[in-house]
Amino acid sequence: MLAEHMTWIEYRDKVKHSVVILPMGAFEQHGPHLPLNVDVIIPTSFANLVAAKVDGMVLPPVTYGYKSQPTSGGGPLFPGTTSLDGDTLTHFILDILRDTYRHGGRKFLLLNGHYENVAFATEAVDLFLREAKDVKIVILSWWEQVPDELVPELFEGAGFPGWDTEHAGITETSLMLFFAPELVRKDKIIDDQAARIPKYAIFPPSKDIIPASGVLYKATYASLEKGEIICKQVTDVIVTIVKQEFNARSQ
Ligand code: ZN
Ligand code: MN
């Protein structure tokens, strides 16, 4: 299932028939309570769960992403947040698609965990499709697969702030409590919010649109139980998408 653990012979025999899943993340601050690679751990965890159910193959993840923005990730000024230029990210993804295609891959799922990546993944796929024949590609972000009916339950008492603002907040913290509890500093979980959240971008960013903690929403409303519910429901949704779009069989 994990391409990185396969021999070349195992890879050769599997890549042609499998849905090839590429998790895409970032190296970005996630407050005082979560590690810098949250946006890698979450989509990689979903990729592994989905691959097990549809006989998929998971490629090593893209571990850096497009530039963190103040109102969706805190922006570039936090120590550690390390981002790629759009052109670098586009060509990084494009190179992976090209070589995997050369080896026989035809069905690709780009499974995104970092808000700012989407346009550059789309650009990579668009450039790839100019040369690749008989391929099908799906790009999705995990939070867009959270069922609408689940949102009131997850955000009860806190209110839903919009997915861009849900950074190091309720859903990411809950999923990390479920996927990698040993990496969550539970005594450092806090609620925070920017003094204002403009619906436009400001360059250079003014300080009052970035919470000093790096937490963009109310992380204390996170729980292991919420993480488990999100994990199960989002995995089911992605499996359904894969079956529908790639005619993949269940295991
Ligand atoms: Zn994140
Ligand atoms: Mn992010």
Side-chain angles (χ1 to χ4, degrees), residues 28-30 38-39 42 72 113-115 166-168 172:
E28 179 187 39
Q29 76 80 23
H30 278 76
V38 165
D39 289 357
I42 292 175
S72 52
H114 175 58
Y115 193 83
E166 243 296 277
H167 176 87
E172 283 189 319

